[in-house]
Amino acid sequence: DRESVERVRQMLQQLLAERFKLRVHEETRPMPIYALVLAKSGGALGPELRRSTRDCLEEWKAQGMPDARNVACGSMPSTRAGAVTGQAVEMRPLVRSLWDWTGRPVVDRTGLTGRFDFTLRWAPDGSTDTDAPSTFTALQEQLGLKLEPGTGPIDVLVVDAAERPPP
């Protein structure tokens, strides 16, 4: 639960502060980002991105879980290098994955709400598969989305001081 996670985080921070004299603070800095936007004017989606017809809450209730909001429906269970599928997924998990795949923060500016089913296939960095498109091309051709480079405010953790611990 969130209380346990927060408690462990605070204990770790205290340990690092005591052992390494670590002092940090958070601040927001302008950094390079990608904005995820619709590729076509008019809001047309790509052939591999469809509004989901699954009703996760009804499925959960039918299974005796009236308030289970974080189970398989709505996640991206099938992910491997160069391919991902999702069922009843909001944009947030896809955006998080794009951040990992591109190495740059991604901000959702699609305006899309609700849940989607999709399949995305691309050639990951270092791949020898010459038939698969790049991440950027695959997003545009398959999902009707594109990544636009820009600058945006990103929260960062700044290390103010740290020392080697005594032996």
Side-chain angles (χ1 to χ4, degrees), residues 6-70:
E6 181 60 24
R7 193 170 35 246
V8 168
R9 187 179 70 77
Q10 288 174 351
M11 289 170 49
L12 181 59
Q13 282 179 336
Q14 184 177 351
L15 174 69
L16 292 171
E18 290 172 4
R19 181 87 171 121
F20 298 96
K21 306 289 188 258
L22 181 66
R23 289 192 344 252
V24 298
H25 73 275
E26 291 183 19
E27 62 183 53
T28 302
R29 293 183 177 174
M31 297 185 70
I33 65 164
Y34 286 119
L36 183 65
V37 299
L38 296 174
K40 300 174 185 174
S41 61
L45 303 179
E48 296 295 326
L49 181 64
R50 299 160 304 286
R51 289 211 176 265
S52 183
T53 58
R54 289 182 71 181
D55 186 340
C56 297
L57 289 177
E58 287 305 315
E59 290 177 25
W60 296 330
K61 287 177 186 176
Q63 296 173 20
M65 299 180 290
D67 196 33
R69 300 207 192 295
N70 294 315

Side-chain angles (χ1 to χ4, degrees), residues 74-137:
S75 65
M76 296 187 332
S78 177
T79 306
R80 67 182 196 280
V84 64
T85 60
Q87 291 187 334
V89 178
E90 293 177 335
M91 283 290 112
R92 189 174 43 245
L94 178 59
V95 167
R96 265 188 255 125
S97 293
L98 288 168
W99 185 328
D100 292 339
W101 302 331
T102 63
R104 186 184 284 194
V106 176
V107 177
D108 182 8
R109 294 196 180 136
T110 62
L112 296 174
T113 59
R115 296 180 179 274
F116 296 85
D117 299 330
F118 65 89
T119 302
L120 180 64
R121 291 179 188 83
W122 73 98
D125 288 343
S127 172
T128 57
D129 182 357
T130 56
D131 293 332
S134 70
T135 305
F136 294 86
T137 301

